[in-house]
Amino acid sequence: MARQMDPDDLNTERIVTVFGGTGFLGRRIVKRLLERGFTVRAASRHPARVGPVFSSTARMPEAVEADILDAFSIGSAIAGSKAIVNAVSLYVEQGAQTFERVHVEAAADLAAASRAGEVDRFVQISGIGSDPQSDSNYIRARGRGEEAVASAFPGAVIVRPAVMTGPDDVFLTTIVRLIRLLPVYPLFGDGGTRLQPVYVEDVADAVSRLIDGRNHNGSSIFEFGGPRTYTYKELLREIARQLDTHIRLMPVPFAAWDALASVAELLPGAPITRNQVDLMRRDNVAAIGAPGLKELDIAPRDIEEVIRLIERRA
């Protein structure tokens, strides 16, 4: 059950609060931090989800009700914390939940509150390709959010993963399912966009190491990619090879994808969004020379292992 935090009752030495702690990446960060011996608060608008999400873990995080859009609940959740992770993300705008509000304003508010609360470490989860000058509202907001956090919390660490994969993702799992179902697989454009998919567990491990003080070179930005770079077309063929099946590919113009995504966003669960289409227009590859998993002593796992997990789960 969620409760309000009383800072006078806390042993603050090893407390980490993870906003978005029940999400795809956030819950894995929470588990890694628990394994490292931290006391972890999973901050969420829906704290009742915390119990079921972490029911199989050896140690449970504390469920804290907090809305990153609400300054009061932010202050309560971070009270006494030594580190904060912002893993909140938004892919489809709804009402007051806009990209600007969530990725820029709320991220800056959380960073500022963390600095005022004398938090030692702040990690902002962003993404490769974030660009404050982008024409895409989503990509631009992620880039402006990075700038706002760095300004509000000097010394904050920005984490930019490539497209993340896992047995419960919406990227690789969808591709595996559709390759088995479709006689012809549609490409984004000509399929030439370069991708460097990274296993979500590797990203979570990396974030936990950053919180645990493993940033020996003091880098402020990390870019996490997998061990191999593919064009989208090459990735689909590699997945088909792993599945021991044949695939026929068909180029589809991005304009057609934009039209499809505009309609899909009206559906529950939005199977594809315009932001995903925008991301597929650009290479999603870690910058050469950028600190990444290697600097944190993590050997990234290839998609072959993730595909096996997806098949096992299916």
Side-chain angles (χ1 to χ4, degrees):
M1 179 178 293
R3 66 179 181 85
Q4 298 297 314
M5 310 309 304
D6 183 352
D8 294 332
D9 295 339
L10 298 172
N11 175 359
T12 62
E13 192 62 31
R14 300 274 288 177
I15 296 176
V16 183
T17 299
V18 180
F19 284 78
T22 58
F24 176 63
L25 173 61
R27 66 177 179 267
R28 290 172 164 93
I29 293 173
V30 168
K31 289 179 181 179
R32 293 287 184 165
L33 290 169
L34 289 170
E35 290 168 359
R36 289 184 175 275
F38 288 95
T39 298
V40 185
R41 298 176 187 155
S44 170
R45 289 184 302 147
H46 307 288
R49 296 176 182 174
V50 172
V53 167
F54 298 100
S55 60
S56 62
T57 59
R59 294 176 57 219
M60 287 284 290
E62 183 169 10
V64 178
E65 183 171 3
D67 184 347
I68 197 172
L69 303 182
D70 176 53
F72 177 79
S73 67
I74 285 177
S76 177
I78 68 174
S81 297
K82 286 302 179 184
I84 302 294
V85 178
N86 181 17
V88 174
S89 190
L90 180 72
Y91 297 103
V92 178
E93 294 180 306
Q94 293 180 331
Q97 292 190 353
T98 65
F99 299 136
E100 179 75 13
R101 184 72 184 92
V102 173
H103 291 303
V104 184
E105 296 173 9
D109 290 345
L110 178 58
S114 298
R115 184 184 184 189
E118 299 183 346
V119 168
D120 290 340
R121 294 189 176 94
F122 190 100
V123 175
Q124 170 76 9
I125 308 299
S126 184
I128 286 177
S130 298
D131 179 3
Q133 304 301 320
S134 174
D135 293 334
S136 163
N137 290 338
Y138 172 77
I139 296 172
R140 184 172 63 253
R142 295 307 294 260
R144 294 188 64 240
E146 292 182 1
E147 294 179 335
V149 165
S151 176
F153 194 110
V157 175
I158 308 297
V159 167
R160 297 173 179 162
V163 59
M164 290 183 286
T165 64
D168 55 340
D169 70 3
V170 294
F171 177 70
L172 196 58
T173 301
T174 301
I175 293 176
V176 168
R177 177 170 53 85
L178 292 180
I179 282 178
R180 290 199 179 283
L181 287 175
L182 299 179
V184 178
Y185 199 101
L187 292 170
F188 286 95
D190 64 1
T193 303
R194 296 165 64 239
L195 305 171
Q196 193 179 0
V198 62
Y199 186 30
V200 64
E201 295 287 356
D202 292 337
V203 176
D205 189 12
V207 173
S208 74
R209 295 186 188 204
L210 289 169
I211 293 295
D212 208 13
R214 296 288 291 276
N215 186 5
H216 299 308
N217 60 2
S219 299
S220 60
I221 298 177
F222 284 78
E223 297 201 347
F224 298 143
R228 292 183 57 188
T229 298
Y230 309 83
T231 64
Y232 185 57
K233 182 162 42 179
E234 290 170 345
L235 177 64
L236 294 174
R237 286 174 174 159
E238 175 61 19
I239 294 170
R241 189 184 71 80
Q242 297 286 345
L243 298 175
D244 194 25
T245 189
H246 177 69
I247 185 172
R248 293 175 58 200
L249 303 176
M250 179 179 67
V252 175
F254 277 101
W257 283 109
D258 285 332
L260 176 63
S262 297
V263 175
E265 287 180 6
L266 302 176
L267 303 174
I272 187 168
T273 69
R274 283 169 290 181
N275 306 307
Q276 290 170 326
V277 175
D278 284 339
L279 288 170
M280 287 302 299
R281 295 179 193 271
R282 301 161 174 82
D283 290 345
N284 193 252
V285 177
I288 296 174
L293 296 175
K294 179 181 177 181
E295 283 68 26
L296 296 171
D297 300 319
I298 296 173
R301 284 166 282 189
D302 205 347
I303 61 168
E304 181 176 353
E305 180 174 339
V306 185
I307 291 172
R308 285 199 300 268
L309 292 172
I310 292 171
E311 290 288 88
R312 191 177 307 148
R313 179 169 178 153

